[in-house]
Every structure is written in C-alpha cells, then in structure tokens.
C-alpha cells in the first residue's frame, strides 16, 4: 500500500500544473462579466481597519484615474498596520491567488525588518465570484469578448498566470510569442483554442 501511495504522489507531482484548454463557447460560460465587482475584506482586521481598507479601493481608483480591476489584492503587515508603506496592492491578474502572491511579495519587501509576514487585507473580485474552470483579468475578459470572439479560427488565447499578461494569436505559437513579448519567456500558456 505504501508503494502505491508513493507512486501516486510521484505521478501527481509529475503532472503538468496547467489547466485544460477551453473552447470559445466553454470560456464564455466560465468568464465573469466585465462590469461589477465586490471588495472582500478580511475578517481578521479590526472594524476600524476594515473601514480604512474599504476606503482605499475608491482612493486607488481616483489615483489611477481608472476603476480598480479584478482580480486585485491588497496586502498588509499586521505588525506595521494598514497605514504603512508596506500596504501594497496588485491588480488585473487572472485569479485571486495570483493577485495574492503579487501583493504579498510587494508587501513583504516593504514591511519592517522585525515584522512578521504580510497577509491579505482585501480582494477585489467580480460580483457573485466563485471558482470556475477559467477566470481572466478584466482586461483579458474584455479582449476575449472584443477580439477573440470576432476572430476567425484557427485562434488561440494565451495568458501568464504570474503577471496577468495575455495575447491572442492565429495559432498557439503566435499567441504564446505575443504574450511572452510583454512578459517572461516560458511564462505564458494557452487557455482557449478554436
């Protein structure tokens, strides 16, 4: 039995981590609308800090002169508090988890040396968000609707799960090459193909 568990664990670790490639019609069912979002604030914050974080989202939009785009995360250092340079945000990623990683990494770079690691203070997600087979950033979702759906087949849609980059191409190679021109080599993968 132990040998079987070891074999299964090795098989799982050897499997690719990428998601399955969806068709246009499957992607349409999976993606959220580009309008409307909610701010999910951590219950680990005090009521006072929750109110501060809720006020940060509209301030970010005003400073950026554009709406805050999902998937976004605001991270903070509990030891430094929410009113500190370590409070950082990451926006326009393809999943909440990718936005979390980016915001936490930025926060951890700026936290006080003696402070413990950063935590998620809030997330910006689409209304009625629940995990789905494919989620894209608001910009990538808009491009799917305005560019990909209007393009003739063959066509492919590539994304970077680490950076939020995306690209559309007439083939897998063209989409990946375009995506990696604005990102890092080996960082993009095909998520939609027709």
């Amino acid at each position: 039995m132990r040998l079987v568990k070891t074999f299964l664990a090795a098989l799982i670790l050897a499997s690719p981590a990428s998601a399955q490639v969806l068709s246009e019609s499957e992607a349409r069912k999976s993606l959220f609308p580009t309008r409307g979002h909610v701010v999910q604030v951590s219950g680990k914050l005090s009521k006072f800090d929750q109110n501060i974080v809720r006020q940060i989202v509209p301030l970010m939009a005003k400073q950026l002169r554009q709406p805050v785009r999902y998937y976004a995360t605001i991270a903070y250092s509990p030891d430094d508090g929410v009113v500190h340079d370590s409070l950082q945000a990451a926006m326009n990623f393809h999943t909440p988890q990718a936005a979390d990683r980016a915001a936490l990494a930025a926060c951890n770079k700026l936290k006080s040396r003696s402070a413990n690691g950063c935590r998620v203070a809030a997330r910006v997600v689409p209304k009625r968000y629940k995990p789905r087979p494919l989620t894209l950033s608001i910009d990538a979702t808009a491009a799917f609707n305005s560019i990909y759906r209007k393009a003739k087949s063959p066509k492919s849609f590539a994304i970077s799960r680490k950076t939020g980059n995306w690209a559309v191409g007439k083939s897998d190679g063209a989409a990946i090459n375009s995506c990696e021109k604005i990102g890092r080599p080996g960082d993009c993968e095909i998520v939609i193909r027709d």
Side-chain angles (χ1 to χ4, degrees):
M1 184 66 165
R2 186 174 179 193
L3 184 61
V4 171
K5 287 181 183 177
T6 304
F7 174 76
L8 288 174
L11 186 63
I12 290 168
L13 290 173
S15 299
S18 61
Q20 81 181 70
V21 177
L22 302 181
S23 68
E24 179 182 327
S25 62
E26 292 168 327
R28 280 180 45 209
K29 293 174 190 171
S30 186
L31 297 176
F32 288 93
T34 56
R35 293 192 177 189
H37 68 270
V38 295
V39 180
Q40 300 173 333
V41 179
S42 173
K44 293 182 179 181
L45 292 168
S46 69
K47 294 293 182 194
F48 181 78
D49 286 345
Q50 287 179 6
N51 287 331
I52 289 173
V53 171
R54 280 190 186 93
Q55 293 172 19
I56 288 171
V57 175
L59 287 174
M60 286 171 46
K62 189 174 181 179
Q63 278 188 329
L64 296 169
R65 296 182 184 161
Q66 63 181 342
V68 173
R69 293 175 161 94
Y70 66 73
Y71 296 90
T73 297
I74 299 171
Y76 76 109
S77 165
D79 295 332
D80 293 329
V82 295
V83 184
H84 188 270
D85 288 342
S86 61
L87 183 79
Q88 294 291 305
M91 179 172 59
N92 211 20
F93 283 80
H94 300 302
T95 65
Q97 297 79 12
D100 289 356
R101 284 189 296 274
L104 288 167
C107 176
N108 281 316
K109 285 182 183 177
L110 296 174
K111 71 178 179 61
S112 301
R113 284 187 178 170
S114 61
N116 289 317
C118 292
R119 294 183 185 167
V120 171
R123 289 185 182 111
V124 177
V125 296
K127 286 183 179 177
R128 294 180 284 287
Y129 170 77
K130 288 183 181 179
R132 293 187 178 176
L134 176 67
T135 56
L136 297 176
S137 69
I138 201 166
D139 287 351
T141 301
F144 170 79
N145 290 324
S146 65
I147 299 170
Y148 187 86
R149 288 180 60 197
K150 293 178 181 176
K152 293 182 181 179
S153 295
K155 55 188 176 180
S156 298
F157 200 107
I159 65 166
S160 164
R161 295 190 189 276
K162 294 178 186 171
T163 65
N165 293 339
W166 57 270
V168 175
K170 292 183 180 265
S171 67
D172 288 0
I176 287 174
N177 287 338
S178 293
C179 179
E180 290 179 352
K181 281 183 183 175
I182 52 176
R184 292 176 257 166
D187 190 35
C188 295
E189 64 181 294
I190 299 299
V191 292
I192 308 168
R193 179 189 304 122
D194 289 281

